[in-house]
Amino acid sequence: MKILIIEDDLNKLQRISELIRERAPDAQVTERKSYQSGLKEALKEHPDLIVLDMSMPTYDISPTEKGGRTRPYAGREILSELKRKHVSSRVVVVTQFESFGEGVDAMTLSQLKAQLRADHAKNYLTTVYYHPSETGWRDNLIAAMSLATKTREQA
């Protein structure tokens, strides 16, 4: 199984990656840290599962690159590109935010989940709410990984 993690928060990335490697030791796990690098990898490799952050910078942050603008809906944009390019990867959104965007573009996590279900039903599996000091996210991500495996086997 090929799994792509697209996450810009290094602590969150490490914890998600450790969990995935523990639960799926035979999986080929790739990590990307921005919208551009994540999208490029997803379109090139067509992973079985993408664990996707919602808000992230446009580019990878480095000593010489500040990451460009922050994209509050980067994950949704990646889902749209997967749909447009007919990439069948299953996607689990893992976020630590309860609201997104600003002004007229603002929406709650519940609203975002409903929109993702409606607009990206072929790719989107679920959203896991991540909180660094709690462990419930782990069980929810494990359940989502199991669901991704079952849907892949049925395809």
Side-chain angles (χ1 to χ4, degrees), residues 76-131:
R76 184 176 66 186
E77 293 173 44
I78 288 173
L79 275 160
S80 293
E81 285 300 308
L82 294 175
K83 181 178 179 179
R84 191 173 74 80
K85 298 281 190 172
H86 306 286
V87 175
S88 62
S89 300
R90 302 302 296 202
V91 176
V92 175
V93 173
V94 180
T95 185
Q96 57 191 5
F97 297 118
E98 295 181 27
S99 61
F100 302 86
E102 295 178 357
V104 296
D105 291 328
M107 74 174 56
T108 66
L109 182 55
S110 295
Q111 291 170 321
L112 179 62
K113 287 178 359 183
Q115 183 186 67
L116 296 177
R117 269 193 301 274
D119 295 347
H120 303 287
K122 288 187 178 182
N123 297 97
Y124 175 74
L125 286 172
T126 191
T127 295
V128 172
Y129 178 70
Y130 174 89
H131 194 286

Short mmCIF file of all heavy atoms in Angstrom, two decimals, residues 76-131:
data_model
loop_
_atom_site.label_atom_id
_atom_site.label_comp_id
_atom_site.label_asym_id
_atom_site.label_seq_id
_atom_site.Cartn_x
_atom_site.Cartn_y
_atom_site.Cartn_z
N ARG A 76 -8.70 20.96 0.30
CA ARG A 76 -9.87 20.94 -0.60
C ARG A 76 -9.41 21.15 -2.05
O ARG A 76 -9.92 20.51 -2.98
CB ARG A 76 -10.87 22.01 -0.19
CG ARG A 76 -12.14 21.99 -0.99
CD ARG A 76 -13.13 23.00 -0.49
NE ARG A 76 -12.63 24.36 -0.70
CZ ARG A 76 -13.25 25.44 -0.26
NH1 ARG A 76 -14.35 25.34 0.44
NH2 ARG A 76 -12.75 26.64 -0.49
N GLU A 77 -8.42 22.02 -2.23
CA GLU A 77 -7.89 22.27 -3.57
C GLU A 77 -7.22 21.02 -4.13
O GLU A 77 -7.35 20.71 -5.31
CB GLU A 77 -6.90 23.44 -3.54
CG GLU A 77 -7.53 24.78 -3.21
CD GLU A 77 -6.50 25.87 -3.01
OE1 GLU A 77 -5.55 25.96 -3.80
OE2 GLU A 77 -6.64 26.64 -2.04
N ILE A 78 -6.50 20.29 -3.29
CA ILE A 78 -5.87 19.05 -3.73
C ILE A 78 -6.94 18.03 -4.10
O ILE A 78 -6.84 17.36 -5.14
CB ILE A 78 -4.90 18.51 -2.65
CG1 ILE A 78 -3.65 19.41 -2.61
CG2 ILE A 78 -4.51 17.06 -2.93
CD1 ILE A 78 -2.67 19.11 -1.50
N LEU A 79 -7.98 17.91 -3.29
CA LEU A 79 -9.09 17.01 -3.64
C LEU A 79 -9.71 17.38 -4.99
O LEU A 79 -10.03 16.49 -5.79
CB LEU A 79 -10.16 17.04 -2.54
CG LEU A 79 -9.91 16.09 -1.37
CD1 LEU A 79 -10.72 16.52 -0.15
CD2 LEU A 79 -10.24 14.66 -1.76
N SER A 80 -9.85 18.67 -5.26
CA SER A 80 -10.41 19.11 -6.54
C SER A 80 -9.52 18.70 -7.71
O SER A 80 -10.02 18.28 -8.76
CB SER A 80 -10.61 20.63 -6.55
OG SER A 80 -11.61 20.98 -5.63
N GLU A 81 -8.21 18.80 -7.52
CA GLU A 81 -7.27 18.40 -8.58
C GLU A 81 -7.29 16.88 -8.79
O GLU A 81 -7.20 16.41 -9.92
CB GLU A 81 -5.86 18.89 -8.27
CG GLU A 81 -5.68 20.37 -8.50
CD GLU A 81 -5.96 20.78 -9.94
OE1 GLU A 81 -5.38 20.18 -10.88
OE2 GLU A 81 -6.77 21.70 -10.15
N LEU A 82 -7.39 16.13 -7.71
CA LEU A 82 -7.49 14.67 -7.84
C LEU A 82 -8.73 14.30 -8.66
O LEU A 82 -8.68 13.45 -9.55
CB LEU A 82 -7.57 14.00 -6.47
CG LEU A 82 -6.35 14.10 -5.56
CD1 LEU A 82 -6.65 13.49 -4.19
CD2 LEU A 82 -5.12 13.47 -6.18
N LYS A 83 -9.84 14.96 -8.36
CA LYS A 83 -11.09 14.72 -9.08
C LYS A 83 -10.94 15.09 -10.56
O LYS A 83 -11.31 14.33 -11.45
CB LYS A 83 -12.21 15.53 -8.43
CG LYS A 83 -13.56 15.36 -9.05
CD LYS A 83 -14.59 16.17 -8.28
CE LYS A 83 -15.98 16.08 -8.86
NZ LYS A 83 -16.95 16.88 -8.08
N ARG A 84 -10.37 16.27 -10.80
CA ARG A 84 -10.20 16.76 -12.17
C ARG A 84 -9.31 15.84 -13.01
O ARG A 84 -9.57 15.60 -14.19
CB ARG A 84 -9.62 18.17 -12.13
CG ARG A 84 -9.65 18.89 -13.47
CD ARG A 84 -9.22 20.33 -13.32
NE ARG A 84 -7.80 20.48 -13.12
CZ ARG A 84 -6.88 20.44 -14.08
NH1 ARG A 84 -7.23 20.22 -15.32
NH2 ARG A 84 -5.61 20.62 -13.81
N LYS A 85 -8.29 15.28 -12.38
CA LYS A 85 -7.33 14.41 -13.08
C LYS A 85 -7.70 12.92 -13.00
O LYS A 85 -6.93 12.07 -13.41
CB LYS A 85 -5.93 14.60 -12.50
CG LYS A 85 -5.36 16.00 -12.65
CD LYS A 85 -4.83 16.21 -14.02
CE LYS A 85 -4.05 17.52 -14.06
NZ LYS A 85 -3.35 17.68 -15.32
N HIS A 86 -8.85 12.63 -12.40
CA HIS A 86 -9.35 11.25 -12.28
C HIS A 86 -8.38 10.34 -11.53
O HIS A 86 -8.18 9.19 -11.91
CB HIS A 86 -9.69 10.66 -13.66
CG HIS A 86 -10.63 11.50 -14.45
ND1 HIS A 86 -11.98 11.58 -14.16
CD2 HIS A 86 -10.41 12.33 -15.51
CE1 HIS A 86 -12.56 12.41 -15.02
NE2 HIS A 86 -11.64 12.88 -15.85
N VAL A 87 -7.81 10.87 -10.46
CA VAL A 87 -6.94 10.07 -9.59
C VAL A 87 -7.82 9.47 -8.50
O VAL A 87 -8.56 10.18 -7.83
CB VAL A 87 -5.82 10.96 -8.97
CG1 VAL A 87 -4.99 10.16 -7.97
CG2 VAL A 87 -4.94 11.54 -10.06
N SER A 88 -7.75 8.15 -8.33
CA SER A 88 -8.68 7.47 -7.43
C SER A 88 -8.19 7.30 -6.00
O SER A 88 -8.79 6.57 -5.22
CB SER A 88 -9.01 6.09 -8.01
OG SER A 88 -7.83 5.31 -8.09
N SER A 89 -7.12 7.97 -5.62
CA SER A 89 -6.60 7.87 -4.25
C SER A 89 -7.70 8.19 -3.24
O SER A 89 -8.49 9.11 -3.44
CB SER A 89 -5.45 8.85 -4.03
OG SER A 89 -4.39 8.60 -4.91
N ARG A 90 -7.74 7.43 -2.15
CA ARG A 90 -8.67 7.71 -1.05
C ARG A 90 -8.00 8.72 -0.12
O ARG A 90 -6.79 8.67 0.08
CB ARG A 90 -9.01 6.42 -0.31
CG ARG A 90 -9.62 5.35 -1.20
CD ARG A 90 -10.87 5.82 -1.89
NE ARG A 90 -11.86 6.08 -0.86
CZ ARG A 90 -13.16 6.11 -1.04
NH1 ARG A 90 -13.65 5.93 -2.21
NH2 ARG A 90 -13.97 6.34 -0.04
N VAL A 91 -8.79 9.62 0.45
CA VAL A 91 -8.24 10.74 1.22
C VAL A 91 -8.88 10.82 2.60
O VAL A 91 -10.11 10.78 2.73
CB VAL A 91 -8.45 12.08 0.48
CG1 VAL A 91 -7.97 13.25 1.31
CG2 VAL A 91 -7.75 12.04 -0.88
N VAL A 92 -8.02 10.95 3.61
CA VAL A 92 -8.44 11.24 4.97
C VAL A 92 -7.86 12.60 5.33
O VAL A 92 -6.65 12.80 5.27
CB VAL A 92 -7.92 10.18 5.97
CG1 VAL A 92 -8.29 10.57 7.39
CG2 VAL A 92 -8.46 8.81 5.63
N VAL A 93 -8.71 13.54 5.66
CA VAL A 93 -8.26 14.86 6.10
C VAL A 93 -8.00 14.79 7.59
O VAL A 93 -8.83 14.30 8.35
CB VAL A 93 -9.31 15.95 5.77
CG1 VAL A 93 -8.92 17.28 6.37
CG2 VAL A 93 -9.52 16.06 4.26
N VAL A 94 -6.83 15.25 8.01
CA VAL A 94 -6.48 15.32 9.44
C VAL A 94 -6.18 16.79 9.73
O VAL A 94 -5.23 17.36 9.20
CB VAL A 94 -5.27 14.43 9.79
CG1 VAL A 94 -4.94 14.55 11.27
CG2 VAL A 94 -5.54 12.98 9.42
N THR A 95 -7.01 17.39 10.57
CA THR A 95 -6.86 18.81 10.86
C THR A 95 -6.96 19.09 12.35
O THR A 95 -7.62 18.35 13.08
CB THR A 95 -7.92 19.64 10.11
OG1 THR A 95 -7.68 21.03 10.34
CG2 THR A 95 -9.33 19.29 10.56
N GLN A 96 -6.30 20.16 12.78
CA GLN A 96 -6.41 20.56 14.18
C GLN A 96 -7.19 21.86 14.32
O GLN A 96 -7.23 22.45 15.39
CB GLN A 96 -5.03 20.65 14.83
CG GLN A 96 -4.05 21.57 14.17
CD GLN A 96 -2.64 21.39 14.74
OE1 GLN A 96 -2.38 20.52 15.56
NE2 GLN A 96 -1.74 22.22 14.30
N PHE A 97 -7.84 22.28 13.24
CA PHE A 97 -8.64 23.48 13.27
C PHE A 97 -10.13 23.14 13.29
O PHE A 97 -10.55 22.15 12.71
CB PHE A 97 -8.34 24.38 12.07
CG PHE A 97 -6.93 24.89 12.05
CD1 PHE A 97 -6.07 24.57 11.01
CD2 PHE A 97 -6.44 25.69 13.07
CE1 PHE A 97 -4.77 25.03 10.99
CE2 PHE A 97 -5.14 26.16 13.06
CZ PHE A 97 -4.31 25.82 12.01
N GLU A 98 -10.91 24.02 13.92
CA GLU A 98 -12.36 23.83 13.95
C GLU A 98 -13.08 24.82 13.04
O GLU A 98 -14.28 24.71 12.83
CB GLU A 98 -12.86 23.98 15.39
CG GLU A 98 -12.34 22.87 16.29
CD GLU A 98 -12.83 22.98 17.71
OE1 GLU A 98 -13.92 23.54 17.93
OE2 GLU A 98 -12.12 22.51 18.60
N SER A 99 -12.33 25.78 12.49
CA SER A 99 -12.90 26.71 11.53
C SER A 99 -11.82 27.07 10.51
O SER A 99 -10.63 26.99 10.79
CB SER A 99 -13.42 27.97 12.23
OG SER A 99 -12.39 28.64 12.90
N PHE A 100 -12.28 27.47 9.32
CA PHE A 100 -11.37 27.71 8.21
C PHE A 100 -11.77 28.99 7.48
O PHE A 100 -12.93 29.35 7.44
CB PHE A 100 -11.43 26.53 7.23
CG PHE A 100 -11.07 25.23 7.87
CD1 PHE A 100 -12.04 24.48 8.52
CD2 PHE A 100 -9.77 24.78 7.86
CE1 PHE A 100 -11.72 23.29 9.14
CE2 PHE A 100 -9.44 23.59 8.48
CZ PHE A 100 -10.41 22.84 9.12
N GLY A 101 -10.80 29.61 6.83
CA GLY A 101 -11.06 30.80 6.03
C GLY A 101 -11.47 31.99 6.87
O GLY A 101 -11.53 31.93 8.10
N GLU A 102 -11.76 33.08 6.16
CA GLU A 102 -12.17 34.33 6.81
C GLU A 102 -13.30 34.98 6.02
O GLU A 102 -13.45 34.74 4.83
CB GLU A 102 -10.98 35.29 6.89
CG GLU A 102 -9.85 34.80 7.76
CD GLU A 102 -8.67 35.77 7.77
OE1 GLU A 102 -8.71 36.80 7.06
OE2 GLU A 102 -7.71 35.50 8.50
N GLY A 103 -14.04 35.80 6.70
CA GLY A 103 -15.11 36.58 6.05
C GLY A 103 -16.13 35.68 5.37
O GLY A 103 -16.58 34.70 5.94
N VAL A 104 -16.45 36.01 4.12
CA VAL A 104 -17.46 35.26 3.39
C VAL A 104 -17.01 33.83 3.06
O VAL A 104 -17.82 32.97 2.76
CB VAL A 104 -17.90 35.98 2.09
CG1 VAL A 104 -18.59 37.30 2.41
CG2 VAL A 104 -16.74 36.18 1.16
N ASP A 105 -15.70 33.59 3.10
CA ASP A 105 -15.16 32.26 2.81
C ASP A 105 -15.06 31.38 4.05
O ASP A 105 -14.66 30.22 3.96
CB ASP A 105 -13.77 32.37 2.19
CG ASP A 105 -13.82 32.96 0.79
OD1 ASP A 105 -14.83 32.74 0.09
OD2 ASP A 105 -12.86 33.65 0.40
N ALA A 106 -15.42 31.90 5.22
CA ALA A 106 -15.27 31.14 6.46
C ALA A 106 -16.27 29.99 6.53
O ALA A 106 -17.40 30.10 6.05
CB ALA A 106 -15.47 32.07 7.66
N MET A 107 -15.83 28.89 7.12
CA MET A 107 -16.74 27.77 7.38
C MET A 107 -16.23 26.96 8.56
O MET A 107 -15.05 26.98 8.87
CB MET A 107 -16.96 26.91 6.14
CG MET A 107 -15.87 26.01 5.69
SD MET A 107 -16.34 24.93 4.29
CE MET A 107 -16.89 26.04 3.04
N THR A 108 -17.15 26.29 9.20
CA THR A 108 -16.81 25.45 10.34
C THR A 108 -16.32 24.09 9.83
O THR A 108 -16.52 23.74 8.66
CB THR A 108 -18.03 25.22 11.25
OG1 THR A 108 -18.99 24.44 10.52
CG2 THR A 108 -18.64 26.53 11.72
N LEU A 109 -15.74 23.32 10.73
CA LEU A 109 -15.30 21.98 10.38
C LEU A 109 -16.48 21.13 9.91
O LEU A 109 -16.36 20.39 8.93
CB LEU A 109 -14.58 21.32 11.57
CG LEU A 109 -14.01 19.93 11.34
CD1 LEU A 109 -13.07 19.89 10.15
CD2 LEU A 109 -13.31 19.45 12.60
N SER A 110 -17.63 21.24 10.56
CA SER A 110 -18.82 20.48 10.15
C SER A 110 -19.26 20.86 8.74
O SER A 110 -19.61 19.98 7.93
CB SER A 110 -19.98 20.72 11.11
OG SER A 110 -19.66 20.21 12.38
N GLN A 111 -19.26 22.14 8.44
CA GLN A 111 -19.63 22.59 7.10
C GLN A 111 -18.64 22.08 6.05
O GLN A 111 -19.04 21.64 4.96
CB GLN A 111 -19.69 24.11 7.05
CG GLN A 111 -20.83 24.71 7.83
CD GLN A 111 -20.71 26.22 7.97
OE1 GLN A 111 -19.60 26.76 8.15
NE2 GLN A 111 -21.84 26.91 7.90
N LEU A 112 -17.36 22.13 6.40
CA LEU A 112 -16.33 21.67 5.47
C LEU A 112 -16.48 20.17 5.20
O LEU A 112 -16.42 19.73 4.05
CB LEU A 112 -14.93 21.97 6.02
CG LEU A 112 -13.77 21.52 5.16
CD1 LEU A 112 -13.79 22.22 3.80
CD2 LEU A 112 -12.45 21.79 5.87
N LYS A 113 -16.70 19.38 6.24
CA LYS A 113 -16.89 17.94 6.07
C LYS A 113 -18.07 17.65 5.14
O LYS A 113 -17.98 16.80 4.25
CB LYS A 113 -17.09 17.25 7.42
CG LYS A 113 -15.80 17.18 8.20
CD LYS A 113 -15.78 16.60 9.57
CE LYS A 113 -16.84 16.08 10.32
NZ LYS A 113 -16.52 15.62 11.68
N ALA A 114 -19.16 18.35 5.33
CA ALA A 114 -20.34 18.15 4.48
C ALA A 114 -20.03 18.50 3.03
O ALA A 114 -20.44 17.78 2.11
CB ALA A 114 -21.51 18.98 5.00
N GLN A 115 -19.30 19.58 2.84
CA GLN A 115 -18.94 19.98 1.48
C GLN A 115 -18.01 18.95 0.82
O GLN A 115 -18.19 18.61 -0.34
CB GLN A 115 -18.26 21.35 1.50
CG GLN A 115 -17.91 21.86 0.11
CD GLN A 115 -17.12 23.12 0.15
OE1 GLN A 115 -15.98 23.13 0.60
NE2 GLN A 115 -17.72 24.21 -0.31
N LEU A 116 -17.04 18.45 1.57
CA LEU A 116 -16.12 17.46 1.01
C LEU A 116 -16.86 16.17 0.65
O LEU A 116 -16.59 15.57 -0.39
CB LEU A 116 -14.97 17.17 2.00
CG LEU A 116 -14.04 18.35 2.30
CD1 LEU A 116 -13.00 17.94 3.34
CD2 LEU A 116 -13.39 18.88 1.04
N ARG A 117 -17.78 15.74 1.51
CA ARG A 117 -18.58 14.54 1.21
C ARG A 117 -19.39 14.74 -0.07
O ARG A 117 -19.48 13.84 -0.90
CB ARG A 117 -19.55 14.25 2.36
CG ARG A 117 -18.98 13.32 3.41
CD ARG A 117 -20.06 12.80 4.35
NE ARG A 117 -20.76 13.85 5.06
CZ ARG A 117 -20.37 14.40 6.21
NH1 ARG A 117 -19.25 13.99 6.77
NH2 ARG A 117 -21.06 15.34 6.78
N ALA A 118 -19.99 15.91 -0.22
CA ALA A 118 -20.84 16.18 -1.38
C ALA A 118 -20.03 16.33 -2.67
O ALA A 118 -20.41 15.80 -3.71
CB ALA A 118 -21.67 17.45 -1.14
N ASP A 119 -18.92 17.03 -2.59
CA ASP A 119 -18.15 17.37 -3.81
C ASP A 119 -17.09 16.35 -4.19
O ASP A 119 -16.65 16.33 -5.35
CB ASP A 119 -17.48 18.73 -3.64
CG ASP A 119 -18.47 19.87 -3.53
OD1 ASP A 119 -19.67 19.67 -3.82
OD2 ASP A 119 -18.05 20.98 -3.13
N HIS A 120 -16.66 15.53 -3.25
CA HIS A 120 -15.51 14.64 -3.52
C HIS A 120 -15.76 13.22 -3.03
O HIS A 120 -14.87 12.56 -2.48
CB HIS A 120 -14.25 15.21 -2.88
CG HIS A 120 -13.95 16.60 -3.35
ND1 HIS A 120 -13.47 16.87 -4.61
CD2 HIS A 120 -14.11 17.79 -2.74
CE1 HIS A 120 -13.33 18.17 -4.75
NE2 HIS A 120 -13.71 18.75 -3.63
N ALA A 121 -16.97 12.71 -3.23
CA ALA A 121 -17.37 11.42 -2.69
C ALA A 121 -16.48 10.26 -3.14
O ALA A 121 -16.28 9.31 -2.39
CB ALA A 121 -18.82 11.12 -3.06
N LYS A 122 -15.92 10.32 -4.33
CA LYS A 122 -15.08 9.22 -4.83
C LYS A 122 -13.73 9.14 -4.13
O LYS A 122 -13.15 8.06 -4.05
CB LYS A 122 -14.87 9.34 -6.33
CG LYS A 122 -16.12 9.02 -7.12
CD LYS A 122 -15.85 8.98 -8.59
CE LYS A 122 -17.13 8.61 -9.32
NZ LYS A 122 -16.94 8.51 -10.75
N ASN A 123 -13.23 10.26 -3.64
CA ASN A 123 -11.91 10.29 -2.99
C ASN A 123 -11.99 10.41 -1.47
O ASN A 123 -11.24 9.77 -0.75
CB ASN A 123 -11.06 11.45 -3.52
CG ASN A 123 -10.76 11.33 -4.98
OD1 ASN A 123 -11.44 11.93 -5.80
ND2 ASN A 123 -9.75 10.56 -5.34
N TYR A 124 -12.87 11.27 -1.01
CA TYR A 124 -12.91 11.63 0.41
C TYR A 124 -13.53 10.52 1.26
O TYR A 124 -14.64 10.07 0.99
CB TYR A 124 -13.72 12.93 0.57
CG TYR A 124 -13.96 13.36 1.99
CD1 TYR A 124 -12.94 13.91 2.75
CD2 TYR A 124 -15.22 13.22 2.56
CE1 TYR A 124 -13.18 14.31 4.07
CE2 TYR A 124 -15.46 13.63 3.87
CZ TYR A 124 -14.43 14.17 4.61
OH TYR A 124 -14.66 14.57 5.91
N LEU A 125 -12.79 10.10 2.28
CA LEU A 125 -13.30 9.10 3.22
C LEU A 125 -13.89 9.74 4.47
O LEU A 125 -15.03 9.50 4.81
CB LEU A 125 -12.19 8.15 3.65
CG LEU A 125 -11.75 7.11 2.64
CD1 LEU A 125 -10.51 6.37 3.14
CD2 LEU A 125 -12.87 6.14 2.36
N THR A 126 -13.09 10.55 5.16
CA THR A 126 -13.52 11.15 6.41
C THR A 126 -12.53 12.23 6.83
O THR A 126 -11.49 12.41 6.23
CB THR A 126 -13.64 10.08 7.52
OG1 THR A 126 -14.29 10.63 8.66
CG2 THR A 126 -12.29 9.52 7.92
N THR A 127 -12.89 12.92 7.91
CA THR A 127 -12.00 13.89 8.53
C THR A 127 -11.73 13.45 9.96
O THR A 127 -12.65 13.05 10.67
CB THR A 127 -12.64 15.30 8.53
OG1 THR A 127 -12.78 15.73 7.18
CG2 THR A 127 -11.78 16.30 9.28
N VAL A 128 -10.48 13.54 10.34
CA VAL A 128 -10.05 13.23 11.70
C VAL A 128 -9.64 14.54 12.36
O VAL A 128 -8.80 15.26 11.82
CB VAL A 128 -8.87 12.23 11.69
CG1 VAL A 128 -8.30 12.05 13.10
CG2 VAL A 128 -9.31 10.90 11.10
N TYR A 129 -10.23 14.83 13.51
CA TYR A 129 -9.85 16.03 14.25
C TYR A 129 -8.65 15.67 15.13
O TYR A 129 -8.73 14.78 15.97
CB TYR A 129 -11.01 16.54 15.11
CG TYR A 129 -10.64 17.75 15.92
CD1 TYR A 129 -10.42 18.99 15.31
CD2 TYR A 129 -10.48 17.67 17.30
CE1 TYR A 129 -10.05 20.09 16.05
CE2 TYR A 129 -10.12 18.78 18.04
CZ TYR A 129 -9.90 19.98 17.41
OH TYR A 129 -9.53 21.07 18.15
N TYR A 130 -7.55 16.36 14.90
CA TYR A 130 -6.30 16.10 15.60
C TYR A 130 -6.13 17.08 16.75
O TYR A 130 -6.24 18.29 16.56
CB TYR A 130 -5.13 16.25 14.62
CG TYR A 130 -3.77 16.14 15.25
CD1 TYR A 130 -3.15 14.90 15.38
CD2 TYR A 130 -3.09 17.26 15.71
CE1 TYR A 130 -1.89 14.79 15.96
CE2 TYR A 130 -1.84 17.16 16.29
CZ TYR A 130 -1.25 15.92 16.41
OH TYR A 130 0.00 15.81 16.98
N HIS A 131 -5.86 16.56 17.93
CA HIS A 131 -5.52 17.39 19.07
C HIS A 131 -4.28 16.77 19.70
O HIS A 131 -4.32 15.61 20.12
CB HIS A 131 -6.67 17.45 20.08
CG HIS A 131 -6.50 18.54 21.09
ND1 HIS A 131 -5.58 18.46 22.11
CD2 HIS A 131 -7.09 19.74 21.21
CE1 HIS A 131 -5.63 19.56 22.82
NE2 HIS A 131 -6.54 20.36 22.30
#
